[in-house]
Amino acid sequence: MRLHSERTSSLSYGSSSAALLLVRSGLRWRRWLGLFPVLILALLERPAAAQDFRAGTVAERYALLCANCHGRNLEGSGTGPSLLKDTWLHGGDDEGIARSIRTGFPEKGMPVWGTAIPEKEIRAMVIYLRETRAKVLRDQTKVSTPPAVLTAKSQLHDFKLETWVDGVVEPWSLAFLSPTQAIMTEKRGFLYLIENGKLAPRPISGLPMIYVNGQAGLMDVVPHPDYATNGWIYLSYSEQLTKVDGTPAAFTRIIRGKLKDHVLVEQQTIFQAKLGQYIKADWHFGSRIAFDGQGHVFFSIGERGQNQHAQDLTLPGGKIHRLHDDGRIPTDNPFVSDPTAVPSIWSYGHRNPQGLAFSPSTGELFSSEHGPRGGDELNLVRRGLNYGWPVITYGMNYDGTTMTELTAKEGLEQPIAYWVPSLATCGINFYTGDLFPKWKNQLFLASLAAEQFLRIEIDGGKVVSQEVLFKDLGRIRHVITGPDGALYVLLPKRIVRLTPAS
Ligand code: HEC
């Protein structure tokens, strides 16, 4: 019997039921060897249809179930309509499209999918249709070389867009230190001064060791609101350390320092995670910094690709944090009385927030957040609240598999806006200048993948309108208002300036 089980385990290529059969039977293994091909055949003969809807990605499901009638790229065929048209025949909002898929149009030849495809897969299919539509339509309209200067009409103001500084490499953030002097981060780890629109010939030296790889690098730069008197400049960056077991791992660190003779001096740590909390991954670092004007600094940190960390108050990832501007923990932070919680946490359940800004008119804090595929969010961030990731989301996994069917749940905050398909929402800021009076106090949002620059009007904590001001000039990383009232927007290799067209 002993010999038996040893033999059988060496024969059972992952088919535990076959192994079980072998063990139970009193047959000799040599006879079973002869039967083995039969077993394998029996396994292969299982009907495929039952698996098709469950296994695989949404793209594969589309190719399998829909492309015949609606075309590989939604262009339609003799049997099904194009899904690229401006107007939908049966309702073009998310629910309308989901309904079309669920109920089908049997009288016109489209099957009823609601009985075959689970509801969360229908939701994933809606995202897939929207993404593919956006991609096909964008490829049709894309211009090859973006113009250096352009003028454009928009709902409230006509504007001129022109290059302010070029020859920069992946600029991440920008801030003005005076009416004539600005400071800029490049993701590759460089901090530059810009004087009167001229990039300094060499970067500022004395920066800490910055880990640059994938999404890791030098991120935000924001001067203290009292910079003119105290000189403090705040930076966020990815830091790599070696864990006790010898593996390298990285996390977001926040420091401040002062400029002296082109060197960053008097550096102080504002936030640093514990070594055990550093993670071996090059994505989801966040990180933006914002001041409330009342002595506090807020900053965002992504969940570092560890979904569940966003819900775990003992860990700093997937959170928005709040500290005194010198790094001390405010005693009125929401989780200071919980000895296991990270005391700087202000809100949690975030995925990768890369935009953070206070409204100048209401004092409310807003964050933009990279969701999964089809789930980018704009959130109104309030003390101690849970923004739901990964328990609820409007998106699906990047590989096109679904992650949850929940988009809302009791006790979890809803975003005030979300985008399907994802725009890859990045920096946000409110316009505080005077050049565009009708844009005053409205929110502007940069997006990477969609290459769109959005104006967002918020009223009473709700988004009341959105407008794309320009697109297709490259990935947009950030936006700020300059002291001259122009909007400064960070594109891949240049910084552009928006001023009134007239
Ligand atoms: C056998 C052909 C066929 C297949 C397969 C099929 N459809 Fe359709 N589809 C149609 C027809 C026909 C219509 C209805 C057009 C009309 O009302 O005139 C339609 C309508 C739709 C609409 C509504 C379009 C609008 O303008 O409002 C959506 C959305 C849609 N299909 C999605 C899908 C998806 C997703 C799949 C795969 C899961 C799929 N279809 C599979 C034939 C098909």
Side-chain angles (χ1 to χ4, degrees):
M1 208 47 204
R2 231 195 109 69
L3 177 86
H4 238 110
S5 52
E6 270 167 19
R7 288 291 178 188
T8 52
S9 65
S10 71
L11 276 175
S12 57
Y13 304 93
S15 170
S16 54
S17 52
L20 219 103
L21 263 173
L22 279 164
V23 175
R24 285 221 191 107
S25 76
L27 290 172
R28 292 181 61 83
W29 66 273
R30 254 183 261 279
R31 275 184 63 195
W32 273 99
L33 203 59
L35 275 174
F36 214 70
V38 182
L39 270 172
I40 291 192
L41 273 179
L43 283 172
L44 284 177
E45 264 176 22
R46 274 191 309 182
Q51 296 176 349
D52 289 341
F53 304 113
R54 245 145 262 148
T57 67
V58 66
E60 288 162 1
R61 256 188 313 278
Y62 178 86
L64 189 71
L65 306 175
C66 325
N68 258 350
C69 296
H70 291 293
R72 278 225 140 253
N73 294 306
L74 316 191
E75 70 278 15
S77 73
T79 35
S82 159
L83 301 177
L84 296 171
K85 287 175 308 214
D86 287 345
T87 49
W88 295 81
L89 300 164
H90 302 281
D93 58 355
D94 286 0
E95 179 43 32
I97 299 171
R99 199 185 327 111
S100 293
I101 301 170
R102 211 180 288 128
T103 61
F105 305 96
E107 71 289 355
K108 292 176 180 155
M110 166 144 162
V112 180
W113 292 116
T115 46
I117 309 182
E119 190 57 34
K120 65 175 182 175
E121 308 288 350
I122 290 180
R123 164 95 206 140
M125 187 62 79
V126 173
I127 298 173
Y128 178 79
L129 293 184
R130 287 209 184 284
E131 281 180 355
T132 313
R133 242 173 96 88
K135 187 179 172 304
V136 172
L137 296 177
R138 220 173 95 199
D139 288 350
Q140 285 170 1
T141 56
K142 205 153 184 170
V143 281
S144 42
T145 18
V149 182
L150 63 86
T151 51
K153 293 193 179 308
S154 80
Q155 288 167 12
L156 301 178
H157 287 291
D158 297 348
F159 62 89
K160 182 168 89 175
L161 177 155
E162 61 192 326
T163 300
W164 180 59
V165 168
D166 58 12
V168 293
V169 181
E170 269 196 278
W172 219 93
S173 190
L174 176 74
F176 277 85
L177 301 176
S178 79
T180 58
Q181 189 183 51
I183 191 163
M184 174 201 68
T185 54
E186 287 184 345
K187 199 185 77 185
R188 59 177 176 165
F190 293 155
L191 183 64
Y192 274 100
L193 284 176
I194 298 170
E195 309 268 0
N196 291 309
K198 258 193 78 129
L199 186 69
R202 58 189 173 86
I204 291 163
S205 54
L207 265 60
M209 280 285 281
I210 294 166
Y211 175 57
V212 181
N213 200 11
Q215 294 174 9
L218 180 56
M219 295 178 285
D220 212 4
V221 57
V222 183
H224 190 281
D226 300 327
Y227 170 80
T229 50
N230 66 24
W232 286 119
I233 291 170
Y234 289 66
L235 294 170
S236 64
Y237 68 98
S238 313
E239 179 183 54
Q240 192 182 57
L241 297 175
T242 305
K243 293 213 172 199
V244 275
D245 67 1
T247 56
F251 212 78
T252 308
R253 183 169 174 180
I254 314 285
I255 60 163
R256 68 175 179 180
K258 296 183 182 183
L259 283 183
K260 190 163 181 271
D261 302 330
H262 222 66
V263 183
L264 190 72
V265 298
E266 291 184 47
Q267 289 173 32
Q268 297 177 353
T269 294
I270 299 297
F271 173 87
Q272 185 180 25
K274 295 188 179 122
L275 181 59
Q277 296 165 340
Y278 277 53
I279 286 165
K280 193 172 187 302
D282 296 339
W283 46 86
H284 299 185
F285 290 91
S287 165
R288 291 277 174 198
I289 301 167
F291 291 90
D292 64 357
Q294 292 159 27
H296 303 110
V297 58
F298 289 72
F299 51 92
S300 61
I301 301 184
E303 34 72 309
R304 305 289 290 101
Q306 313 291 309
N307 295 353
Q308 295 304 332
H309 288 194
Q311 291 295 321
D312 188 338
L313 291 173
T314 68
L315 295 170
K319 314 288 176 343
I320 289 171
H321 298 259
R322 174 190 189 243
L323 291 172
H324 287 297
D325 57 11
D326 60 1
R328 283 175 301 121
I329 309 283
T331 52
D332 58 348
N333 266 6
F335 302 107
V336 278
S337 57
D338 176 350
T340 64
V342 176
S344 54
I345 294 175
W346 181 251
S347 63
Y348 64 112
H350 299 282
R351 187 170 175 274
N352 190 23
Q354 288 199 318
L356 194 64
F358 280 95
S359 160
S361 51
T362 67
E364 291 167 318
L365 180 64
F366 293 85
S367 76
S368 74
E369 185 162 328
H370 293 284
R373 209 168 141 181
D376 284 4
E377 297 183 354
L378 183 67
N379 283 305
L380 171 46
V381 178
R382 294 203 167 99
R383 181 184 187 274
L385 297 187
N386 182 349
Y387 288 80
W389 174 254
V391 184
I392 57 170
T393 174
Y394 286 88
M396 62 178 166
N397 290 316
Y398 276 95
D399 65 5
T401 57
T402 47
M403 49 196 329
T404 166
E405 50 200 306
L406 292 183
T407 53
K409 197 178 173 190
E410 183 77 33
L412 303 181
E413 299 309 303
Q414 281 289 304
I416 63 166
Y418 66 92
W419 289 275
V420 181
S422 289
L423 305 175
T425 50
C426 200
I428 55 172
N429 257 315
F430 288 86
Y431 177 67
T432 51
D434 296 322
L435 287 184
F436 299 105
K438 291 179 188 152
W439 287 355
K440 189 120 186 166
N441 294 338
Q442 295 191 4
L443 188 71
F444 290 79
L445 178 142
S447 77
L448 297 164
E451 303 182 6
Q452 292 179 5
F453 185 63
L454 265 66
R455 178 180 66 83
I456 300 172
E457 202 176 334
I458 299 172
D459 192 16
K462 292 201 161 54
V463 169
V464 293
S465 73
Q466 296 182 42
E467 180 188 16
V468 177
L469 289 181
F470 66 83
K471 59 179 180 178
D472 295 338
L473 295 180
R475 293 160 68 83
I476 312 173
R477 183 60 76 175
H478 196 34
V479 51
I480 63 162
T481 311
D484 57 354
L487 274 170
Y488 290 78
V489 183
L490 277 58
L491 296 178
K493 289 178 182 143
R494 58 180 176 143
I495 302 169
V496 297
R497 193 166 163 265
L498 267 59
T499 50
S502 51

